PDB file of all heavy atoms in Angstrom:
ATOM      1  N   GLY A 204     -20.618 -14.526   4.122  1.00 94.00           N
ATOM      2  CA  GLY A 204     -21.269 -14.944   5.381  1.00 94.00           C
ATOM      3  C   GLY A 204     -20.506 -14.348   6.594  1.00 94.00           C
ATOM      4  O   GLY A 204     -21.098 -14.253   7.582  1.00 94.00           O
ATOM      5  N   PHE A 205     -19.280 -13.986   6.360  1.00 94.00           N
ATOM      6  CA  PHE A 205     -18.388 -13.438   7.506  1.00 94.00           C
ATOM      7  C   PHE A 205     -18.364 -11.920   7.504  1.00 94.00           C
ATOM      8  O   PHE A 205     -17.696 -11.303   8.324  1.00 94.00           O
ATOM      9  CB  PHE A 205     -16.945 -13.959   7.398  1.00 94.00           C
ATOM     10  CG  PHE A 205     -16.843 -15.364   7.703  1.00 94.00           C
ATOM     11  CD1 PHE A 205     -16.413 -16.321   6.638  1.00 94.00           C
ATOM     12  CD2 PHE A 205     -17.050 -15.972   8.928  1.00 94.00           C
ATOM     13  CE1 PHE A 205     -16.335 -17.626   6.779  1.00 94.00           C
ATOM     14  CE2 PHE A 205     -17.068 -17.374   9.073  1.00 94.00           C
ATOM     15  CZ  PHE A 205     -16.563 -18.215   8.075  1.00 94.00           C
ATOM     16  N   ILE A 206     -19.118 -11.320   6.531  1.00 97.00           N
ATOM     17  CA  ILE A 206     -18.993  -9.864   6.382  1.00 97.00           C
ATOM     18  C   ILE A 206     -20.416  -9.299   6.818  1.00 97.00           C
ATOM     19  O   ILE A 206     -21.296  -9.346   6.020  1.00 97.00           O
ATOM     20  CB  ILE A 206     -18.660  -9.539   4.865  1.00 97.00           C
ATOM     21  CG1 ILE A 206     -17.289 -10.095   4.530  1.00 97.00           C
ATOM     22  CG2 ILE A 206     -18.526  -7.874   4.822  1.00 97.00           C
ATOM     23  CD1 ILE A 206     -16.891  -9.815   3.089  1.00 97.00           C
ATOM     24  N   PRO A 207     -20.514  -8.539   7.963  1.00 97.00           N
ATOM     25  CA  PRO A 207     -21.710  -8.012   8.383  1.00 97.00           C
ATOM     26  C   PRO A 207     -22.345  -7.136   7.386  1.00 97.00           C
ATOM     27  O   PRO A 207     -23.661  -7.157   7.286  1.00 97.00           O
ATOM     28  CB  PRO A 207     -21.165  -7.416   9.723  1.00 97.00           C
ATOM     29  CG  PRO A 207     -20.169  -8.129  10.254  1.00 97.00           C
ATOM     30  CD  PRO A 207     -19.396  -8.499   8.909  1.00 97.00           C
ATOM     31  N   LEU A 208     -21.671  -6.209   6.670  1.00 98.00           N
ATOM     32  CA  LEU A 208     -22.279  -5.394   5.707  1.00 98.00           C
ATOM     33  C   LEU A 208     -22.607  -6.184   4.565  1.00 98.00           C
ATOM     34  O   LEU A 208     -23.327  -5.552   3.588  1.00 98.00           O
ATOM     35  CB  LEU A 208     -21.313  -4.203   5.440  1.00 98.00           C
ATOM     36  CG  LEU A 208     -21.165  -3.226   6.526  1.00 98.00           C
ATOM     37  CD1 LEU A 208     -20.249  -2.004   6.027  1.00 98.00           C
ATOM     38  CD2 LEU A 208     -22.488  -2.655   6.814  1.00 98.00           C
ATOM     39  N   GLY A 209     -22.355  -7.383   4.419  1.00 95.00           N
ATOM     40  CA  GLY A 209     -23.010  -8.335   3.270  1.00 95.00           C
ATOM     41  C   GLY A 209     -22.439  -8.078   1.969  1.00 95.00           C
ATOM     42  O   GLY A 209     -23.105  -8.497   0.948  1.00 95.00           O
ATOM     43  N   GLU A 210     -21.305  -7.391   1.799  1.00 94.00           N
ATOM     44  CA  GLU A 210     -20.797  -7.333   0.334  1.00 94.00           C
ATOM     45  C   GLU A 210     -19.281  -7.214   0.365  1.00 94.00           C
ATOM     46  O   GLU A 210     -18.684  -6.664   1.422  1.00 94.00           O
ATOM     47  CB  GLU A 210     -21.430  -6.112  -0.423  1.00 94.00           C
ATOM     48  CG  GLU A 210     -21.243  -4.773   0.345  1.00 94.00           C
ATOM     49  CD  GLU A 210     -21.721  -3.652  -0.527  1.00 94.00           C
ATOM     50  OE1 GLU A 210     -21.536  -3.539  -1.704  1.00 94.00           O
ATOM     51  OE2 GLU A 210     -22.271  -2.671   0.037  1.00 94.00           O
ATOM     52  N   PHE A 211     -18.684  -7.606  -0.696  1.00 94.00           N
ATOM     53  CA  PHE A 211     -17.167  -7.290  -0.853  1.00 94.00           C
ATOM     54  C   PHE A 211     -17.002  -5.807  -0.969  1.00 94.00           C
ATOM     55  O   PHE A 211     -17.879  -5.034  -1.390  1.00 94.00           O
ATOM     56  CB  PHE A 211     -16.556  -7.870  -1.963  1.00 94.00           C
ATOM     57  CG  PHE A 211     -16.554  -9.422  -1.945  1.00 94.00           C
ATOM     58  CD1 PHE A 211     -16.755 -10.158  -3.055  1.00 94.00           C
ATOM     59  CD2 PHE A 211     -16.177 -10.020  -0.745  1.00 94.00           C
ATOM     60  CE1 PHE A 211     -16.649 -11.536  -3.063  1.00 94.00           C
ATOM     61  CE2 PHE A 211     -16.166 -11.437  -0.566  1.00 94.00           C
ATOM     62  CZ  PHE A 211     -16.443 -12.252  -1.677  1.00 94.00           C
ATOM     63  N   GLY A 212     -15.705  -5.202  -0.582  1.00 97.00           N
ATOM     64  CA  GLY A 212     -15.451  -3.863  -0.758  1.00 97.00           C
ATOM     65  C   GLY A 212     -14.994  -3.547  -2.062  1.00 97.00           C
ATOM     66  O   GLY A 212     -14.710  -4.579  -2.810  1.00 97.00           O
ATOM     67  N   SER A 213     -14.679  -2.324  -2.465  1.00 97.00           N
ATOM     68  CA  SER A 213     -14.189  -1.985  -3.827  1.00 97.00           C
ATOM     69  C   SER A 213     -12.778  -1.287  -3.474  1.00 97.00           C
ATOM     70  O   SER A 213     -12.553  -0.828  -2.395  1.00 97.00           O
ATOM     71  CB  SER A 213     -15.115  -1.090  -4.374  1.00 97.00           C
ATOM     72  OG  SER A 213     -15.144   0.186  -3.890  1.00 97.00           O
ATOM     73  N   PRO A 214     -11.961  -1.289  -4.566  1.00 98.00           N
ATOM     74  CA  PRO A 214     -10.694  -0.545  -4.453  1.00 98.00           C
ATOM     75  C   PRO A 214     -10.911   0.963  -4.052  1.00 98.00           C
ATOM     76  O   PRO A 214     -10.166   1.381  -3.265  1.00 98.00           O
ATOM     77  CB  PRO A 214     -10.113  -0.704  -5.732  1.00 98.00           C
ATOM     78  CG  PRO A 214     -10.704  -1.914  -6.398  1.00 98.00           C
ATOM     79  CD  PRO A 214     -12.087  -2.019  -5.731  1.00 98.00           C
ATOM     80  N   ASP A 215     -12.053   1.468  -4.364  1.00 98.00           N
ATOM     81  CA  ASP A 215     -12.368   2.789  -4.151  1.00 98.00           C
ATOM     82  C   ASP A 215     -12.634   2.998  -2.544  1.00 98.00           C
ATOM     83  O   ASP A 215     -12.257   3.997  -1.974  1.00 98.00           O
ATOM     84  CB  ASP A 215     -13.659   3.200  -4.764  1.00 98.00           C
ATOM     85  CG  ASP A 215     -13.564   4.497  -5.694  1.00 98.00           C
ATOM     86  OD1 ASP A 215     -12.437   4.701  -5.945  1.00 98.00           O
ATOM     87  OD2 ASP A 215     -14.626   5.067  -5.946  1.00 98.00           O
TER      88      ASP A 215
END
Side-chain angles (χ1 to χ4, degrees):
F205 294 112
I206 302 174
L208 286 181
E210 57 173 319
F211 291 142
S213 70
D215 239 22

